[in-house]
Amino acid sequence: MQERTFSLLTRGRAALAVVWAVAFVVAVGDRVPTTATELTAAIALLLAAYPLIDAVSSFVERRWVNGALSTLAAVALAVTGFAGDARDALLVFGAWAAVSGALQLALALRHRDGWPMIVSGGLSTLAGVSFVAASSREEAQLAMLAGYAAVGAVLYLVSTFRARRAVAVA
């Protein structure tokens, strides 16, 4: 993929993640959903939309496995989210984050993509495992998902700027 296209795609992906995190915080308002509450339609829609950001980016980058995985996660999140089941939605989101993070980490290590993508994959894996564990608790707050998206956005931006600088130096 051309470096310019990758840079635009990565910045766009990061911007969408930030917009998603802000929209999630706004949709939650002062009623932070927990695993013991039912999800609103707005929260369910946002939960299903987040993996679609990854799916579109993955398909554009021709990473078919990750694109398919993220598409399946979006469908599963739509089903659990619109059923109002916060516990299952957090479980699905966590499983997707853990598996896609592990794939990202493995690819970053294999292709030597630099520390931002290695850190991003590792953190996504750890966060996903923690979301899966939290889904079994009665009062786990789903607000942590906004932080997950924001950290991912920052790491994607750092990766873009590092790649741009590497091209300028070469």
Side-chain angles (χ1 to χ4, degrees), residues 93-104:
F93 195 102
W96 166 70
V99 172
S100 64
L103 286 173
Q104 180 184 0

Side-chain angles (χ1 to χ4, degrees), residues 25-100:
V25 169
V26 169
V28 164
D30 61 350
R31 297 182 54 214
V32 178
T34 68
T35 48
T37 61
E38 282 195 31
L39 296 176
T40 65
I43 298 296
L45 180 63
L46 285 166
L47 287 174
Y50 190 78
L52 288 178
I53 296 168
D54 189 62
V56 170
S57 296
S58 295
F59 287 134
V60 168
E61 294 171 4
R62 296 184 185 110
R63 295 181 316 155
W64 310 116
V65 172
N66 197 54
L69 175 67
S70 295
T71 301
L72 288 172
V75 170
L77 281 165
V79 169
T80 58
F82 283 106
D85 193 334
R87 180 179 312 280
D88 284 349
L90 185 57
L91 176 67
V92 168
F93 195 102
W96 166 70
V99 172
S100 64

